[in-house]
Amino acid sequence: MSTAFATSPPAERGFDRVTDAAAIAVRALAGLGEIRPGDDLVDLIARAAADAGGLRDGDIVVVTSKIVSKAEGRIVAAADREQAITDETVRVVATRAHPGGTTRIVENRQGMVAAAAGVDASNTPEGTVLLLPVDPDASAQALAVGLRSRTGRSVGVILSDTLGRPWREGQTDVAIGAAGVHVVDDLRGGTDAAGRTLTVTMACLADELAGAGDLVKGKASGCPVAIVSGLARAVGALDLPGAASIARPSDRDMFRLGTDEAIELGRRDGHEAGFARGRAVGHAEGFASGYAEGVAAARAEALAARARLQTEATTC
């Protein structure tokens, strides 16, 4: 069984972003079963797709990263999930305590900023957690190469995972790996409907595809793979940049720390800088004051000695 979701743009506007198609279709694949370490995902996905009508040139296969982690053996025993999160953390961005514990937003080994470093304890045996694939883009590449070879179709692959977003409640699926897909639709330099030049518009096509796939996959439906049809122009060569290219470089990241962490860092740096400045100024002022006092004392002593000598000479 497969579930389908279709969306058509208004007839009067057309659809002119990355395809001339009048609609896109998103269908979930059933029949993959429980994934275990060592399973051949290319074979399982190809069989399930064949049972659902097959893949076509230009289709994009959206795969939940959880099953990739399972197939790659990224299941680890973790009596303490917090330790697993610590082990996967490269940089702490923000922490918030709440009645149920502490939420940590961190940068993980894959370069993603996410809650709990992407460590997942859902839909996995008790006492274990799932880690993200070591290299999501490489995993997507292996699936794309395998599916193209197996089916003879030019398809793209998106690996998706669920993340929250700053300033917005709820979560959505985003792309953490990609192969054979244009991950951004760069409209800069083009014009809008009024003829104005677009200067900043870059649609994150990979994330949009991941979110579309999640609409039909769900979280507990047993359908961890979706097929997006109708966006053939989004599919390209296997050497296209992967999802890692979506991550914003640190020098352009305006929110590298959480608010509380940034304030605390500012206070600490300010205290250290202020202490160092105060010490330097105090040292300089103390030296100047001491020097002046020393010169004055020496001058007074010299005058006193001169007066004594004059007195002694007069007496004699």
Side-chain angles (χ1 to χ4, degrees), residues 85 88-94 104-108 112-118:
I85 295 171
E88 292 298 302
T89 295
V90 172
R91 176 176 63 89
V92 175
V93 175
R104 284 185 280 173
I105 307 297
V106 305
E107 180 182 343
N108 64 16
M112 297 166 47
V113 175

Side-chain angles (χ1 to χ4, degrees), residues 132-195:
L132 292 176
V134 173
D135 185 340
D137 279 335
S139 298
Q141 183 83 358
L143 287 174
V145 170
L147 288 171
R148 289 188 180 196
S149 175
R150 173 73 178 264
T151 65
R153 299 297 187 180
S154 179
V155 299
V157 171
I158 295 288
L159 257 59
S160 68
D161 194 40
T162 304
L163 295 182
R165 288 82 38 77
W167 308 298
R168 300 182 73 84
E169 296 289 353
Q171 298 82 34
T172 186
D173 268 26
V174 302
I176 67 169
V181 176
H182 293 276
V183 294
V184 297
D185 184 15
D186 192 348
L187 302 177
R188 293 174 299 177
T191 57
D192 64 11

Side-chain angles (χ1 to χ4, degrees), residues 45 47 59 85 140 142 158 209 233:
I45 293 172
R47 288 176 181 274
D59 280 350
I85 295 171
I158 295 288
L209 288 164
R233 289 190 181 179

Side-chain angles (χ1 to χ4, degrees), residues 206-300:
D207 283 353
E208 291 177 328
L209 288 164
D214 189 52
L215 288 173
V216 299
K217 289 191 282 111
K219 303 300 180 188
S221 63
C223 297
V225 176
I227 309 299
V228 179
S229 301
L231 291 173
R233 289 190 181 179
V235 176
L238 290 173
D239 60 356
L240 286 170
S245 65
I246 300 172
R248 178 163 288 160
S250 60
D251 62 346
R252 301 209 325 258
D253 186 353
M254 297 174 65
F255 310 100
R256 190 161 174 78
L257 291 174
T259 302
D260 291 352
E261 290 71 21
I263 291 173
E264 177 57 31
L265 179 61
R267 285 174 175 165
R268 185 168 66 246
D269 287 352
H271 174 79
E272 292 174 355
F275 179 81
R277 174 63 177 163
R279 181 177 180 182
V281 170
H283 176 78
E285 290 180 351
F287 177 82
S289 175
Y291 178 79
E293 290 176 2
V295 169
R299 187 169 184 273

Side-chain angles (χ1 to χ4, degrees), residues 72-87:
E72 293 180 354
R74 295 283 285 165
I75 306 172
V76 298
D80 182 4
R81 177 171 177 257
E82 295 303 312
Q83 184 58 49
I85 295 171
T86 298
D87 293 342

